[in-house]
Structures are given as structure tokens and as C-alpha cells.
Amino acid sequence: SSNEHKFKLWVCEIEAHFIQDFNTLVKTLVEQATIDISEYINRHKKNRKLAEITAPSENSAEKLMVNLRGAQVGNSQSRLRVYWSPEMPHKVRQRLNNKLYRQIDKSKLRYGSYYDKLIEKKKRKYRNKLRCFNPEKKDLILEISLLPSNMNPIERFHLFSQAGEIYSFHNENETEIRVQYVKTKDTLNALLCIRYFEILPQQKIKVFLPHHVDSTEILTELTSILREERLRENDSETSEDSSEDESEDEENDGKEGYQCRDNGAAQKTIQYCASCDHCNKDAASSNSNNKISELFPISRHVEFLLKQIEFEKQLQLNQIQANIQFNRRFGYPYLTIKMAEADRSTIMRQLISFLGIEVSRVGISESIIHFLSTYDNIRHQLNSTLQHLSIRSGIYKDIEQAILVIAVDHQEYLRAIANINDNTLIQDINITGDLLKLALNDHAIKPDILHDLPDVDQVLLNTEIKRQSGCCTVTVTGLVNTVQNIAAIINERIRNHNMLEFSITQDIDSKSPSWLKYFRYQLCQIQEQFSCSIKCKNTIQDNDDDMQEYQESEIVVKCLPEDRIAITNRLSNILRYSQIHEKSGISRFSRLGRYLSSMESKVKLENLQTELDCIIDVNQSPELGSYDQSIEKQDTNDAATRCGKMNYQIPSYDGNQRAKSQLQSTEISLITQSPTGKENHQAVASDIVFIAECDTFVEPCKISVEYGAIQHAQGQVVIDMTSLCREHTSGLQLSENFNLSTSEHTTETIEFDESGASSLPLCQVCPYGLMAGFSSLLTCLNMSGKKSVICPLIHLDMGQDDILMLISKFELFLMQRQSRKSRINCIRFWLGNLQRAVEIATWIHQCIEKNTTKLEWTITQSSQYRVDGVKLWIAAHDQATAQKIQSRILEYVPQWKSQIVQIEDDMLNIEEQRWHRLALQFWCQFNTLIVRNLHSLHRNSVLFYGYDDDIIRAVSEMHQMAKLKWQQLTQEEIQEFTASSLAWYVKIGNKSYPFGRQLNYKIEKSYKKYQNVPSYSRFEEFDSYIKILDLKKMTITTIINEEYCIDRVITEENISIPDYWEYDTIDDVKNGPTRIVDVTNVAERQAIVNLARSSGIRFTKLQRVQNWNLYYRYQLRKKEVEAAIASYQPGVDAEKRLFHGTESQKVGSICLAGFDRDYSGTAH
């Protein structure tokens, strides 16, 4: 119904002086109409307005259209142009126009003023050219881009409706629209006469056909018209310049620097060039080989772009053999292509895309344009980069040295602009205040600032001095790295030019090595903070870490004048203290490290410094941002061979590599079975952060640091330190101090759990005293025959000293068993936190580099990052104060806590082996210990031990896992129910095979969606082996492009044949044809007669349709509806008997296939 649409009219060409008269006219016609006035942005229409009128009804809209179309308001010289809003469907607009056309007096019919006179002139010219052209009807859509973002939709519609009647009009975004015309000729006319039209000065819009247009008839007509125009332009210019020597044009062949009249028209001849003997000879010779040679006049912009994107190579990549030559005639470029006749239409389609090339430099600053115009080598370098990145565009310099970016389309233009801006940089260096004395005049500064700069011939330097504002700006333009280097040098020279130098003499002969180490560290901090230079003239002699000589030292400082007081105070403050306490190698995840890295510690430590007159300095490595998983590899090939056992990967399935010769049973399994969770897990089990190897023994030994989820680890055994012994589970609180002095506790608590062939064996041991008993643990593992041991975090406070102690014990273990051929040869430190993994890897790396290990280790893989934990410096007047500060800090650190959490039974009742692996996962990932069923009072709970924030994350994860487990069980129940009620089969050969439960459910879900929305019949990337599921054709297509038929079979349980049906055997009903029989059963006949009695229907004949397939599907659906109703409205009948009226010839189709809504309402 038309009442469903808003009746809006778009009115154009309203003179600004008569807006009041226009409003009065509209209100006089329809008082309830609303008017919205807007502006033109075209520079020639500044005194014109646009209006959108909303009419309250269809009759009022018709009245407005009849009276406003072509009307003159007041004394206006222009006539109004009125359109129906394109928001209305085209059928509604067409109906209204037909209705109005019958009402309007044809002698007084006026359409109103058009948008632009030049477009109107072109439209008439091209309409005459297309008069005899009768193309096949095509739904061509014009794509328009580069429109001004502030252009009103009404103005856009006014512009493009000048070419013909518009069928659909869609605003894609602020600068792009899509227009479809009623007639194909109007589409071509719009393309020819509106392309490159300037709505605003120097801003040409772009009109082009989509790339998928493949009509040879249309493309041939377009190129013929454009070629005719180009040849006419060439002939007219040639007659004016007939005195020029043609040889000069030949010398310029291939060079850049020509302007063209048409920004990117790729025009093409359909016949051979009659005026060129060379082309005629080529054509004659090629005809004998089924080849043709054709001439394409092109613009210089197109010539450059075809060379830039290597058009001939692109054709060859598409298996098209063609020989392309670029030539010039009378100074204009043309393209000669020798090609096979079969490839002609394909090449034509590709060339026609160059009708809409984009030529602009919007988005590039003037400084970059000047830079690219100055340095041709940089421009060629950037063009090579664009070519390498497959960006179909290039940077072009014309004969006037102007820089333009030429691209195939707007998207490629934006990619090119982004690449140019990414590779170039403009950096300003501001000089203010006293430094203005460096300026010599308004355009130069002292030569020593810019003298002898490296790569200065690859940048543009510009100096602008504004003495009134007291500012001098040096602008550096060029490639990013070059600009940054030169700007840094200039800044350094400017700073050094105004630096002052002073010295401090200090007697340091009584200072300790720790003090000197701290003093050097502080000097580095000051230099970094103030960008100054600090040196000691009298060198402090030392030998390794022990100082041999201490002598008076002169500290020389070179800094800016404004920083002198601050630097002097800092140095004086450092020199006041004589006692230095240093603690390094603190893990940022330990108790102390967590506190020192927190924001809370800053305030408390500042108060402590004030209270005890000391300096507390915390130095920590920056946190890792985005971690690049690539690693530095030394001797890559050799390392990959030696470390192959440590790269545990599950190979991904590549269907294209499967040959059709595989066993049919494997093919059936791949089609019918959905991949399991393990098969879906394509990720690498771990990221190896660090590997070191030792070749001292007969069999090489390894130490590695890995990061990942412990549940995906693969190896021979993993140390499970979450198995608390009875002694430590007697209470509800555990100590965070895991250190014990003896190793006996470890030996007493070791147990092996190797249950499950697919699970990773566990070596369960109590974590308390494990550091002391690590050697005993290695001995037990060695006796069990294990070679590779996965060692998670032994305790939370593990620092650098603890890691080095473990390595030392491993080395000692290897050396003691050298003659007995130790079985253990690999320790794999496994962390659930990436930052901590890199931290431990850094400590081991430093230890090996300093040669503090007992064995000679070679680093074969190492992370490119270094995280050295946290370092604490305490500077005080005496030893007692330093110790007091340490004690106070330890009072602040967080303590271990316990929390009892109620957990669902599904998680608590999992078997013991799975619980141990779950506990180990939480230890590695969240640094928490979890214990279940500790006491009778807490049987349905889990006890979490750890720090507050870790416990919160662990509890959240536990609840999430329980939720997912419940969802999984529910999903399995649904799948099982679906599989029990219906089944999907695939036919391979002469046999049908059922799909697995998961795939059966997945296909049924898609089928339900298809039933509700018939347009959703095709599902792509359906499964890992099924590429396409087509429910309309009832087929599947595998990833090796094999197609198979599928079928849906409903399980025939509890649905029997009605007693009143007439049949010989059950097989005749279920597998035989549909039968239509006369109703002879008196009770059945009387029930239907009673149902229709109130309607006045007279029966002449009553027949029963015995279609088992329809009856069974109906009964199954009836059961589903009854079950749904029973859940929220029990007792309500789910079935009602209705009559369906239709034409007699459609009865047969209904009996065979069921009711169809399309047949409803067609009875006469």
C-alpha cells in the first residue's frame, strides 16, 4: 500500500529571493505540509536553494507535484524542478507519475531547470551518438566517488537525474553514491557527460562502471565513442602544430612530463589503424597465426600507470599472452597490443577499467610534493615500493614539475597516499629565547648548526625566522629515517651551542665498591633525565668488582643553564650518603617485586625517605607490549635439527593437498565427522623463549624456557608441585615461604601419576622444600628413565639467585653422572606468563654470558627482549638505618591469603587425575594453589591460596570453566536428541552414510534457518572438510571440489499409519506413490460435513490424500508445537482444522508437495 511510504518531494532551483513566496505557495496548496530548506554547494548556484517537502497524504502529494513542477515562483526566471524522493520504491514513483501524466495538460507540461548547461550540451551530443545503439537490457549501476562530503542528497539527485530517469539512488557514504537508471542508454550517457565534472573548483568527481561489467557490446560502443573524440582532438591539435618536426616527438618517446586533456581515459580502437603502415603489417602477419594487433590511443597519465603497474606482466599472470608496445604519434601516446583473438574481450574489459583512473594529489602536503619534485631518485624509490606492495598506483611528475598521484581507482589512491605519508616525514625544530642569537637573518642560521650534516642531499631544509614572535623554525622534509637522524643531530648541536660547563671536586677514597656502582648508576639516570654530559676527569681505578685505588675525582658537568641548580642538588644529595644496599634479580611477580612495581609503593617509599633521610631507588624493566613471537636464532638449521624434539606442533590439515586417491573410508570419515577439539587445536603447544645447549657430554644437554598453557604441553614428565602433603593441608592457611633447609621432605612426597595414555605423566611432589630437594628429585626422575623434564614455577618468590641455583644443581647432577650416562638431559622451565618467561630467560642468558656456570653452554635461541626484573637501591648514612629501611619495606609487601569458594558439582566431581592437571594449570596461569574437599565442613568448595588479585582472576576462570562445561553438556544433550529424532545422510557411490552427531546437528540448524528464510540456502566454509552446504540443491561440496548429494531422514518412531487409511501393505504407504481415494468411512465423512455446515458449503465429492511423507512431517511438527505449548500454556489444543481455497488445476500440486502460500487467494 502506498500509505506505508512517506510522501516526500524534492524541489530544486528555488531562487533565494523568493523563498518566502515559495513557502506561501506550498502552504496555500497543502497547509499541513512541512518544508525543509537547504543550500547548493555548486559555485554557480549560490543564489539557489533546495527544499524537501513532506506531504501528509498521497492526494496532497499529487496536488503539490502538479502545481509545483515547472512552476515559476514570484518573478523568478528559473522553473522549479520537482522529484519524488528516491526513498519511495520505484514502482510507487512510476504509478504516481503515470497517474499525474494523465491529469496534466500536455501543452503546459514543464520539467524545470536542469543542473548544468555544459552537461545538457554533452547529454544531447552523446544521445545522438547512442541513437542507433540498442544494447541488451542490463542492470548497470554507476559508481560515483570524490563527491564533496557536504553536498546535499537533493543536489546530488538533481545532478545525476539530468542524464535520465533514475531507478535507484543510494548514498554509500559522505563521498560515494551508486545510481541505477531505468534505461541502459541513460546510464552510458551519464558516464560520458558527467565524468570528471567539477562541482567545486579543482575537485573533479569520478564516475565509472563496476569492474564486473562484462558486456562486450557496451564496452565496444563506449570505446568507439571515446576513440572518435580522441582522434578528433589529435587531428585538431596536429593541424595547429603542423610546423613542428615529428622527429622531436619520437625523441621524447617514453619520457615523463606531458599534460593530457583527459585525466585517464583509456580509449581503444576496434579496427586496425589505417594510417599506420607498421600496424597494418603487424596485423597482416598476425592474422596467419590467429592473432590480431590493435591500437589504443591513451592519455599520458594512463601511459605512465600502465608502465608502473607492469600491465603486460599482469596479463601474463592471468595466462594471457600479449605483446604491448608504447609509441607516440604527433606527441600523443598510443598503445599497440598484439594478442590472440580469443583474449580480445578480456583485455578490453581490463583496459576499460582505466576510464576511471584517479589523478590527484589531495592528501599530500605541499612540502612533500616539493620534496618529491626535487629528488627524482626518491620518487623512483617510492614507486618501486608501491609496485612491490602491489598498490596499483604511482607518483608522476609532469612537464611543469608538478607531482601527481595516479591510481586505478579511489581505493588504490588512498593506499598510495597512506604509503607515501608513512614513508615521508616533516619535522619542525623550534628555536626560541636566547637561542635566537643563532639566527643570521630571516632565512638562515649560523652555518655550524647545519654544516656537514649526513645525508643532507636527501632532505629539504627550510628556515623561517619570525623575530616579532621570537621564534625560528627549521623544517626538515624527507624519508622518515633520514629526517629523524638529521633532526636529532640538529637538536644536539643547538643544545650544545648553549651548554655551560662546571665541575664538582669530591674525595671518594673512602667509598665502597657498592657505593661506586650506585654512583655510576645515578650519573646515568641524571644524564638521561636532563640530556646532559657528566664525566669524571680523574679516572676511578678498579679491577673487576673490587676497587684497587680510590682517589680524588673531579666531576665535570655540561648542561643547559636552567638545569644547573637541579643537577648540582642531585649530585650533592647522592654524595651525602655512605652506606649503599643493593638488591637485584627480584622478580616483578614475587611478593617484594609486586609491591615495588605498584603505584601504592611510591607514596609510602617517598614518606619513608623523608622520615629516615635516605634515598630509595626502584629500577624495573619496562613491561612487554606486543610480544613478537619471532626469535633470534643462531645456527638456525643446526638448532632446528637439535631442538626438533622441543617444537611440539600439531600439523594443520590442508585439504588441497589431499589427493583423490585416498581410501574411500578416510574420505567418508572426513565428510561425516566434525573435527574434535584436539584436531581443531592448530596452535603450537608452546612458544620457546630461550634454548641453551651443552656439548660437553656424549649426549647433548639442553636448558629451555617456554611459555604457554601447561595443559597443551607435550613431553615425558612434568613436575607437579601442587600436590600438597598431609602435613601442609591440615589447616586452612598455607605459608608463602616454601623454603626448607633439608631435602628429606621432597624425597618423602614424590609420587608418579602416569594414568591415561594420552595425558602427560606427572611427577607429584610437595612444593615445600623443593628448592633444597631439587637434586633428589632429579635423581628419582633419572631412575624412572625420564630424559626431558618440564619444570613449572617452583615457588612464587623465585628470583635470579633461585634460578641460577637450579641450573647449578642440574649441572652438578650431570657432572656426577657423567660416567654413568645420565638419562635426564633436558630441563624445560615452563611459565604461564610471558613476562615472567622472558624474565627468567634474561637471567639465564646473563649468567651464561658472564661465564658463571660450571659447564660451557651455547645459546641457540634467544628472545629479542630483555626483562631484568626489579632492582632496589637504598642509600643511607649508616648500616643500621639501611637495615631498618629493609625491614619497613618488608612490612608493606602483600601476604598470601586463602579464600573458600563454592563450586558447581560438575567441577568438584571430576576424576583425581584431571583435578591434578587442572590444579597445575591454575598454578602456572594464576600463581594460585587450589585444594578441594579439605574438611567435612567445606565438602562442596575449593580453597584458593595466593595473592588477592591472583585469587580473583582464578575464581573467575573457575566459574567460567564450570559455565562452559554446563553449556557443553547441554549442547551434547540437544545434539543427541536431534540425532535420535532425525538424521542427515550423504550419498557416496551407491551407499548412504549418516553424518556424525555434531555435523548432523549443525546441518539441521542450517536447515531450520533455510526453512524460515529461503534466501539462506547456501552456507560457505561450513566445516573443515565441507566447503559448501547447498540446501536448495541438497548437496555438499568438499574442499577438493567433490560434490555429493545429501538427504534428511526423519526417524519413524511412535508415528503410525492412521487406521482409516486404505492400503494393502505398509510398504505401499511408506515407499509407494501418493494416493487419492474416496472417503467411505462414515464417521470421518460426518466429522468434515459438520465442520463445514456453518459455512454453507455443499459437498459434491469428498476424497482423502494419502501422502505418507507429508503426513509424517506434519505429525512430527505437531509434536514439537504440542511440547512448546505445554511448557507455558498447558491444556491448549495445538491443532485446528481450516479450509484452503484455490484453483482446481493447483490441487494436484498441493496433494503431492503440500500447501503453498502462493496458491492462497487465487480461487475465483
Side-chain angles (χ1 to χ4, degrees), residues 627-693:
Y627 176 65
D628 186 359
Q629 294 182 359
S630 63
I631 51 179
E632 303 169 5
K633 297 184 179 181
Q634 293 83 16
D635 301 326
T636 307
N637 296 331
D638 184 46
T641 302
R642 290 179 288 175
C643 303
K645 296 181 181 178
M646 304 187 68
N647 286 303
Y648 299 104
Q649 297 187 14
I650 301 174
S652 60
Y653 169 74
D654 185 358
N656 294 325
Q657 295 178 356
R658 274 189 190 274
K660 293 183 181 180
S661 61
Q662 284 187 314
L663 296 175
Q664 194 179 54
S665 60
T666 306
E667 183 82 1
I668 293 168
S669 176
L670 287 169
I671 292 174
T672 59
Q673 300 299 323
S674 181
T676 63
K678 290 183 180 179
E679 291 168 342
N680 280 334
H681 181 71
Q682 303 292 337
V684 180
S686 69
D687 291 327
I688 301 177
V689 179
F690 176 86
I691 293 179
E693 297 185 2

Side-chain angles (χ1 to χ4, degrees), residues 16-34:
H17 302 298
F18 302 103
I19 285 292
Q20 190 62 39
D21 296 338
F22 172 78
N23 291 337
T24 303
L25 174 61
V26 173
K27 290 295 184 180
T28 302
L29 294 171
V30 178
E31 187 176 356
Q32 295 83 8
T34 58

